Amino acid sequence: MTESNLVAGTWTSGGGATLRSANPTTGETLLEFQELTAAEVDAAVSGARVGAPEWAATPPVERAAILNRVADRLEAATDEFGALIVAEVGKPIREAREEVVRSVAILRYHAQAALDPHGDTIPDAGNQSLLLTEREPLGAVGLITPWNFPLAILIWKLAPALAYGNAVVVKPAPHAALVAARAIRLFADLLPCCALTLTQGGAAVGAAVASAGLDGISFTGSTGAGLRVAKATLDNGTRYQGELGGKNASVVLPSADLDLAVATILRASLSFSGQKCTATSRVIVEQSVAEEFTTKLAVAFAAVVVGDPADERTDFGPLIDAESVARVRGFVERAVADGAEVLAGGHPLPDCGPAFFAPTLLAGVDPDSEVARTEIFGPVLSLLTVDGADAALRAANDTDYGLAAAVFCRDLGDALRFGRQLAASSVRVNGATPGVPFNAPFGPWKMSGIGLPEQGKAAQHFYTRERTLSIGIA
Ligand code: NAD
């Protein structure tokens, strides 16, 4: 049994249920590990509390140096991490490598951010004191992460949490246990004992971390789980940030460059088999260009290179597991029952492996049907045709979610209008919905999130608390 938990400075196996992380392409077990029990999670959180003061007192320039050393280590291990991501979650190698490169950049960005200004001076109304604000670390924070960006999401929470001086308890998704354990080893020997804790396990371990009374919880995952975590944190007065699901639209207007729109939306909907919170899952196309756009998109779907994610030529690999194939199949069958027409795919690909499902394009989708409204988290793109730009904007915004949206057009007025009126935290004009700039704020609008945004300068606001200090000068 591998020691994949880091508790109070010691690598240890847990005493709870045995879980396994498997290669989705082959079904081969990569890691068997025991999750922590509730009592072990308590011990892990107590350890983080012990480690917090020393790390908070570590000078920012030393924190920055440590994050830069981790970045150097990760960069040197780009090929190893790329291969690990391919093996553990089935992400095609080109995308996996991009994830590693991006994670290195995120580490370097937050290393510098440790030295950013962290307060303001404010004119005292009576001119009798020096009035200022200053930010300090929250203390010990918990990070609960999903499997779909097994490295980048972990790093975009962990790097700022550490940069601003917090001790951290990490709870990764079981499907990504191996990448998480390897990534935590890049940091652990550089940090004071107990500044970093790794608690492996499923929803029960996540729930235990969420309700442990930590000073902050940053969660990324499904909306259902994120809402449950929100309630647990509320009971303890724990600061909470939940980055949740999406049902992202790309709008195609008559002035669009249709070839650009086809190529970009193909990537936006099918990269990592549609298993991205920001994946385009609805295309709203204006009727005057609907026929030409649809024909081109269906051709592009049929030409996607499906296969082994370790192969450089592969565009499209497996889903995370065979259960996801059954779930996605259910969505497609119910969509067809609701009147949708399958223009491409619509079925599993058992010859490729147990977790493969074909890139699927549905036309004639009823805007009120399940497939148009529910997050699928798989390779299914729904086409909705509308009459005019106003109807396109209404349709794009007619969703409970507000994560990402895009518009394709060459008309400047449309670009500005849609850019400002699409109801999503991340909007792209002539660009793909996925791809989050790590130096800009991200989330959380509508049911796609709760609390403060993350990334960029927004991360400082989440991982620190602000004191107002008045020093009398009279
Ligand atoms: P998930 O909600 O099943 O799990 C996410 C994490 O939460 C895992 O570590 C899991 O073990 C833990 N967890 C599950 N139930 C819990 C509970 N009741 N209490 C505490 N922890 C719990 O999500 P997933 O399948 O790993 O990832 C896919 C989901 O993540 C999709 O809905 C996707 O949209 C979302 N996501 C959102 C973003 C974003 O930034 N908004 C980014 C990536 C993924």
Side-chain angles (χ1 to χ4, degrees):
M1 196 65 64
T2 315
E3 293 171 340
S4 33
N5 298 285
L6 180 59
V7 175
T10 304
W11 285 95
T12 170
S13 55
T18 300
L19 303 180
R20 74 181 197 117
S21 175
N23 180 324
T25 311
T26 62
E28 166 208 6
T29 297
L30 297 173
L31 178 73
E32 264 198 357
F33 61 100
Q34 282 176 291
E35 65 178 354
L36 295 182
T37 63
E40 288 167 336
V41 173
D42 282 347
V45 169
S46 301
R49 289 219 169 282
V50 170
E54 186 182 347
W55 182 241
T58 302
V61 72
E62 284 179 32
R63 290 187 226 138
I66 288 172
L67 290 178
N68 276 320
R69 280 197 63 194
V70 175
D72 292 344
R73 286 178 171 182
L74 182 57
E75 189 169 39
T78 300
D79 289 345
E80 178 201 339
F81 270 90
L84 209 51
I85 292 171
V86 171
E88 194 170 32
V89 301
K91 186 170 284 191
I93 181 64
R94 285 182 270 120
E95 288 186 59
R97 217 181 285 116
E98 275 170 26
E99 180 170 344
V100 183
V101 170
R102 180 175 168 198
S103 301
V104 171
I106 294 170
L107 279 161
R108 296 210 166 112
Y109 171 81
H110 287 292
Q112 285 311 110
L115 296 159
D116 275 355
H118 64 175
D120 286 315
T121 54
I122 299 162
D124 173 40
N127 212 18
Q128 292 187 326
S129 66
L130 173 62
L131 187 59
L132 54 93
T133 64
E134 199 176 25
R135 289 186 170 275
E136 62 177 27
L138 286 181
V141 300
L143 312 178
I144 304 175
T145 55
W147 49 263
N148 69 328
F149 284 91
L151 184 65
I153 290 182
L154 174 64
I155 296 292
W156 84 46
K157 294 182 190 298
L158 185 53
L162 290 172
Y164 298 120
N166 298 281
V168 179
V169 177
V170 172
K171 208 306 278 174
H175 282 304
L178 197 55
V179 173
R182 179 70 186 93
I184 294 300
R185 284 181 191 274
L186 295 175
F187 293 79
D189 63 316
L190 300 173
L191 296 166
C193 175
C194 302
L196 185 53
T197 299
L198 176 59
T199 59
Q200 300 265 18
V205 173
V209 170
S211 56
L214 284 158
D215 300 302
I217 293 283
S218 179
F219 172 93
T220 297
S222 58
T223 296
L227 292 177
R228 282 192 287 281
V229 174
K231 287 175 189 142
T233 55
L234 204 56
D235 285 341
N236 290 305
T238 297
R239 181 179 292 191
Y240 179 61
Q241 168 181 71
E243 305 296 341
L244 312 178
K247 189 71 195 172
N248 312 294
S250 288
V251 175
V252 181
L253 294 176
S255 69
D257 173 338
L258 291 188
D259 291 329
L260 173 76
V262 165
T264 310
I265 291 170
L266 184 78
R267 183 162 43 89
S269 58
L270 296 182
S271 56
F272 196 25
S273 303
Q275 300 171 120
K276 293 185 178 177
C277 56
T278 47
T280 291
S281 63
R282 297 178 296 143
V283 177
I284 320 289
V285 56
E286 210 286 327
Q287 62 173 1
S288 60
V289 288
E291 192 179 334
E292 185 182 352
F293 174 78
T294 304
T295 305
K296 288 182 176 211
L297 191 62
V299 169
F301 261 63
V304 167
V305 179
V306 181
D308 179 355
D311 189 325
E312 294 281 348
R313 291 162 300 184
T314 296
D315 296 324
F316 184 93
L319 303 188
I320 190 67
D321 54 22
E323 291 76 48
S324 297
V325 171
R327 188 174 47 78
V328 171
R329 181 183 206 157
F331 273 108
V332 173
E333 285 171 359
R334 293 189 294 278
V336 170
D338 285 336
E341 181 193 354
V342 178
L343 297 186
H347 51 80
L349 296 168
D351 291 349
C352 295
F356 281 77
F357 195 90
T360 298
L361 181 61
L362 301 176
V365 170
D366 175 350
D368 291 322
S369 65
E370 179 197 47
V371 75
R373 307 203 78 88
T374 310
E375 183 183 47
I376 298 172
F377 219 59
V380 179
L381 180 60
S382 294
L383 267 161
L384 294 94
T385 302
V386 293
D387 183 1
D390 289 348
L393 189 58
R394 275 198 305 275
N397 289 343
D398 182 19
T399 168
D400 294 336
Y401 295 98
L403 200 59
V407 62
F408 290 83
C409 62
R410 282 179 287 200
D411 179 286
L412 182 59
D414 281 340
L416 286 171
R417 179 173 172 223
F418 277 73
R420 288 180 171 156
Q421 294 185 13
L422 282 167
S425 69
S426 169
V427 175
R428 285 218 160 89
V429 176
N430 296 321
T433 51
V436 180
F438 57 80
N439 54 345
F442 178 57
W445 285 33
K446 298 167 76 177
M447 293 301 276
S448 291
I450 299 174
L452 294 169
E454 61 181 348
Q455 309 219 49
K457 299 293 172 212
Q460 189 192 50
H461 286 217
F462 182 75
Y463 290 107
T464 61
R465 58 188 177 193
E466 192 171 32
R467 174 182 291 111
T468 299
L469 177 62
S470 172
I471 302 172
I473 54 174

